[in-house]
Structures are given as C-alpha cells and as structure tokens.
Amino acid sequence: MSIKRIDYSLYLVTDRSLVPEGKTFLGQIERALEGGVTLVQLREKDTDTGPFIDFAFKVKALTRKFGVPLIINDRLDVAQAVDAEGVHIGQDDMPLKQARAILGPNKIIGVSCNTEEEAAIAIRDGADYLGIGAVWFTSTKKNIKKPLGIEGVKRILKSIENNPVPTVAIGGISASNAYELLVGTETGKIHIDGLAIVSAIMAAEDPKIACEELLSLIEKGFEKIGVKAKRTVEEALDYTVQAAKNVKSKTPMIHHITNYVVINDNANATLAVGASPIMSTSRDEFEDLAVINGAMLLNMGTLNDVNSMILAAQMNARYKNPVVLDPVGCGATGYRKEVVQRFLKECNLTVLKGNAGEILSIAGLGGESRGVDSIGTSEEEVMVNAVKTLARQNNCVVGLTGPVDYISDGQRVFAIENGDTLLPLITGSGCMVSSVVACFVAANRDDYLLATVAAILTVTVASEMAAAREYVNGPGTFRAALIDELYNITNSPEKLKEYAKIRVIE
C-alpha cells in the first residue's frame, strides 16, 4: 500500500483530564488547531462507546473545519462510526493486519513501537506511520516501558533506514526538549517526521500560543538537519527547470482515461513535453500498465465506466504511481457530484486539478460549473482557502486554474499569473494542463507540489509564447502553436524563468 501524504509535524494527542479549570475540551482542541496542529488523535481510554462516538463527531467537526486528519486511538468501531481518517493502535491492541482488513487500504493506521523488533514488524505488516516512545517519562500514561531517551529513538530510526515509513516521537515532549529531540535523533539518512504531544498542548492556558511556539521549534529543528520545504519563488523556478529536464530524460508513460473530445490533444501535449501517452479503458490490461506506468490520469469529462476508472486509480496506487484527477464539470449535475466524492474517498489521489468552479464546488465554497466552464468568485482569499483545505482533507496537491492559478499541498501555496486569454478558448485546454501535470509528477516524485507548479507554469508560459506568434489569429491557429511551444519551452526550460509570474502566498 502507498504511504499517505500526511503532515505529521505537530501531532496532538488529546486527554480530557488535562484541560485547565475554566477551559473546555473542545475549546482546547480548537485553539490548538488555530495554532497549527497538523494531526489530531482522539484518545478516550475510559469512555464508553456511545459517549466516545459523540465526542468523536464533535472533534471531527473541528478537524474538518481546519482540514486536519482525525485519528482515533485504539477503537476501530468508533473510527468507522464517524468515518475518521484513521486509527492508532498499540502493541496490546488489535493486530495491524486485522485492523487493515477491517478498515481497508485508504485509512491511516499508526502503530506504537518501543523496540527495533516492534518497528520492523509494524512496517512489514503495512503501518502508515510509527509512534516511537515513550521518549521520556510522562504523567499521561501509566505502566510505560523504560523511556527510550534520544539515543533510543535514534536507535530505532537507524534500524528502519532501509525501509522507512513516517515516524512521530511521543512521551514527555514539550517546548523545552522538542528541538533537542528532533536534532539529536537524525541518523544521517532519516529523521523523526513529527512530535506527538499531549500535556504541553492540552494543559496549556492557551493552546494556540503553545502550538505556535512548538511549530517554530520544529521548523528550526528541521532546518538544522537540512529538512526544509522549498517555499521561495527562486526555489520553485529552479525546480521547474530541472523538472522539465527530468520529464525529457525519463520519458514516463502516462496512462490516460480521459474525455473523448480531448484524447488527441492530450496525447500530443504529453508527447510534446517528453512523456509517452497511452489511452486505455480496458480492465484486462490495467495491472500490466500499472507495472510500467509513470502516472495515471483520470478525467471526468466522459463518465462511461466509473468503476473501471476507480479500479485503475487503485491499481496504480498499489504500484506507487502518482494519480491525477481532473474533476471535469463536477458541480454541473448531482451524478457528477456523487462521482467526484467517490474518487476522493476510494482513491489515493496525488493531485486534484480543476478550474475555479470545480474546485470551489468540491470545497463547498459556492463554485458552480456549467459544462466544462468555470463560474465562481475570483476573491483570492476564497481560492487560497479552497486549495489549502481540500489538500489537507484529501492528502494531495490541489491545483485551481483560472485567471490566476493557485496550487497548494495544504501548507505551501503558490500563485501563477501567466497564461494568455486564448487558452480557455480552445476545447480541453484544462484537460491538456492535467496531462502535463501527470507528466511532471511522474518524473518528479520528490515534491509533488512543485512538480504541479512546474507543469502549470509550463503550459501557461507556452500559451503566451504561442499567442505571440505572428500567424496566430485566433483559437484555431493558437491550438497548433501551443503544442509547438510546449515542445520548445521544455527543450529550453531556462526560458521559463524569464516569463514566470509566480508568487508565494503565506
């Protein structure tokens, strides 16, 4: 199974017994979310099933509001009842294989580990992440094994260097030791991905302030060990140039299940940037293709066999291929709204790329779609909120295209202001963008956000260069010129820096 793309950096584990007098349990969680918590685990060891489910629904309403995954401690029945994003199980809880059989492949399952052997078994059985601890003695858990300390955590990390999964450290962690723990456990090859914290947040007078301080220390620790997300325009442009070269050198195969109207243009755009297209709707060859695919592109323009599309996405995820969804017209009919929700729920998407109307519709922020046209607000705050929230909720990159393009992984947001006015006047231009996105994520798997930014920037810059050709007099001549310029600009990608109108949104 594929590892879910989750931000584990600041992981809140709840404990109602720690809530200060005059504060409320839900209020503490909401303030923590406002402070930047990236994952919430609801732990209710002594609560009966009914009240636990009630608490879980209330907490889920908060986590969904902030686009943060909800993990239920131990109780699979509660996780299923509220459709939480996952569960966390200990060594004495239900075995991981049984939990996976019950919850299916798309839920997050974390496992507590205190030894190298426990870590190896959890990874072998398919854990999405490990909770390593306790690091230090803690008042929130009784009868814990001997604390690992920094050296013990590092020892477990070193044992999984050749088969790593995301990890969080837990137990006695606070602002006084967070930085030391992150820096001290880095092995030279891997590092702790986040800190799971209980008392320092739940018992805080103001969890928002506490979380902001913790996040600052976490970011400082990551920077110290050389783990820094690329956030600047310069970094994005440098990445774009290399990303285009990678597509040409790797020539990934892109499996399309796409709109019948745009098959030819999608194939030509894919070839122009240096990848290899294949268009197939035959279930009989999905697995054979998945073995050699670079990426899978699903386009909702023609919905003849949704089950086959979902099967293809799942097959590609199984072989760790990125999956791109273009939700064409997803807000136009009730059926399309249902279908897009199936894709989001049943598939491990890498990128969700749509126009403003489509993305706003999925986000429930008022967007409408009329056929493949976009009808929606152009207010930047709304657009940014939509892409960030959807990215967090669905653990994928979200690209919203329009007069200004907005792309986010739930944390970082880039805006692109390139693109000629002729681009939306040719049928399937948005579908063509999605094909190019699939090409770029196939060849650049280290940072799917920047790969998506690079792809969209490539198409929009190419559109400006195409429109500037002397013989281009309208959509017809522009269409052919666009394919030419996709070819030209990806052969000389340094030119992208000259044309790029890109900015970072904090």
Side-chain angles (χ1 to χ4, degrees):
M1 63 171 298
S2 61
I3 300 300
K4 316 300 188 300
R5 293 171 296 279
I6 302 292
D7 182 353
Y8 291 95
S9 53
L10 185 54
Y11 185 149
L12 168 63
V13 180
T14 69
D15 188 333
R16 281 192 292 147
S17 70
L18 297 173
V19 176
E21 186 176 351
K23 308 289 184 179
T24 67
F25 176 65
L26 293 176
Q28 293 292 91
I29 294 173
E30 183 165 23
R31 286 295 283 173
L33 288 163
E34 290 172 354
V37 157
T38 59
L39 200 66
V40 174
Q41 180 189 136
L42 180 60
R43 188 165 71 184
E44 293 285 327
K45 287 293 186 182
D46 301 316
T47 303
D48 292 336
T49 301
F52 195 162
I53 291 173
D54 182 57
F55 276 126
F57 273 121
K58 291 175 180 176
V59 174
K60 184 182 176 183
L62 292 174
T63 57
R64 292 295 286 178
K65 174 183 175 183
F66 288 88
V68 170
L70 172 64
I71 304 296
I72 303 298
N73 180 266
D74 185 20
R75 296 287 298 274
L76 272 71
D77 56 337
V78 175
Q80 288 180 305
V82 303
D83 193 24
E85 281 70 36
V87 295
H88 185 90
I89 54 180
Q91 292 296 316
D92 298 324
D93 297 329
M94 179 181 292
L96 173 55
K97 287 185 176 180
Q98 289 179 251
R100 177 65 69 197
I102 293 170
L103 293 179
N106 295 325
K107 294 298 184 181
I108 306 161
I109 302 183
V111 179
S112 295
C113 299
N114 184 257
T115 68
E116 295 97 315
E117 182 182 11
E118 290 173 352
I121 292 170
I123 293 173
R124 180 200 68 192
D125 291 345
D128 289 303
Y129 74 91
L130 307 181
I132 300 176
V135 184
W136 293 291
F137 280 114
T138 171
S139 61
T140 64
K141 209 166 185 179
K142 300 176 182 178
N143 303 319
I144 64 171
K145 300 174 183 177
K146 182 180 177 180
L148 291 166
I150 290 177
E151 285 305 313
V153 175
K154 186 173 183 177
R155 186 177 65 248
I156 292 176
L157 286 178
K158 286 187 72 67
S159 76
I160 67 170
E161 282 181 334
N162 294 327
N163 192 21
V165 298
T167 55
V168 296
I170 186 169
I173 302 169
S174 67
S176 65
N177 55 31
Y179 176 82
E180 177 189 10
L181 175 61
L182 282 169
V183 174
T185 54
E186 194 265 338
T187 73
K189 290 185 177 180
I190 63 174
H191 56 85
I192 283 288
D193 294 279
L195 305 179
I197 296 177
V198 191
S199 303
I201 297 176
M202 292 303 298
E205 279 300 311
D206 190 339
K208 181 176 185 292
I209 294 174
C211 288
E212 289 171 344
E213 181 183 6
L214 286 163
L215 279 172
S216 176
L217 290 165
I218 290 169
E219 184 174 351
K220 181 182 175 183
F222 283 156
E223 288 183 0
K224 177 67 175 179
I225 61 177
V227 181
K228 182 181 179 183
K230 297 178 177 66
R231 294 180 180 274
T232 69
V233 169
E234 291 75 17
E235 287 171 328
L237 291 177
D238 287 341
Y239 190 97
T240 295
V241 171
Q242 186 58 50
K245 293 178 180 179
N246 290 345
V247 177
K248 295 286 188 182
S249 64
K250 296 180 181 180
T251 61
M253 189 173 81
I254 312 302
H255 180 188
H256 292 66
I257 299 181
T258 191
N259 190 336
Y260 293 162
V261 176
V262 301
I263 286 178
N264 186 65
D265 283 347
N266 283 13
N268 283 329
T270 300
L271 287 167
V273 299
S276 177
I278 185 166
M279 276 62 179
S280 174
T281 58
S282 174
R283 291 189 179 205
D284 292 338
E285 60 180 357
F286 282 174
E287 183 162 14
D288 288 343
L289 291 175
V291 172
I292 57 175
N293 279 342
M296 177 79 233
L297 171 64
L298 300 173
N299 181 300
M300 284 179 49
T302 308
L303 292 175
N304 288 338
D305 189 346
V306 173
N307 290 331
S308 287
M309 295 174 76
I310 290 174
L311 177 64
Q314 293 171 342
M315 193 72 70
N316 276 271
R318 186 180 307 165
Y319 286 92
K320 304 187 186 304
N321 299 322
V323 178
V324 179
L325 175 66
D326 189 335
V328 175
C330 64
T333 66
Y335 176 65
R336 286 179 178 269
K337 290 178 182 178
E338 292 174 4
V339 168
V340 77
Q341 289 304 315
R342 282 196 63 191
F343 281 121
L344 294 174
K345 185 173 183 179
E346 299 177 36
C347 305
N348 284 330
L349 299 179
T350 306
V351 181
L352 173 66
K353 199 290 306 174
N355 64 36
E358 291 156 355
I359 297 300
L360 293 177
S361 174
I362 296 171
L365 293 173
E368 300 176 4
S369 291
R370 180 184 60 217
V372 296
D373 299 322
S374 170
I375 308 169
T377 178
S378 61
E379 295 179 11
E380 182 159 279
E381 184 177 353
V382 175
M383 304 296 191
V384 171
N385 184 29
V387 294
K388 286 185 73 173
T389 300
L390 280 178
R392 289 175 178 173
Q393 289 175 346
N394 298 288
N395 309 318
C396 66
V397 171
V398 175
L400 180 157
T401 55
V404 178
D405 306 313
Y406 298 95
I407 307 99
S408 178
D409 61 358
Q411 300 296 323
R412 298 169 289 173
V413 182
F414 286 87
I416 298 172
E417 298 182 5
N418 292 94
D420 191 82
T421 55
L422 286 173
L423 191 58
L425 297 182
I426 59 171
T427 298
S429 60
C431 303
M432 194 182 299
V433 173
S434 297
S435 287
V436 177
V437 168
C439 297
F440 273 68
V441 296
N444 301 278
R445 302 190 180 200
D446 60 315
D447 193 323
Y448 287 133
L449 172 70
L450 291 189
T452 304
V453 169
I456 295 175
L457 181 63
T458 296
V459 179
T460 53
V461 168
S463 75
E464 294 175 353
M465 297 173 70
R469 288 189 171 199
E470 187 176 348
Y471 66 81
V472 171
N473 299 309
T477 46
F478 170 76
R479 177 172 167 270
L482 178 59
I483 300 294
D484 288 345
E485 292 300 348
L486 283 173
Y487 174 80
N488 292 332
I489 195 68
T490 51
N491 278 327
S492 302
E494 289 80 7
K495 290 183 179 179
L496 287 163
K497 290 186 176 184
E498 301 174 22
Y499 288 83
K501 300 173 185 175
I502 183 172
R503 54 193 168 89
V504 176
I505 298 176
E506 299 296 339

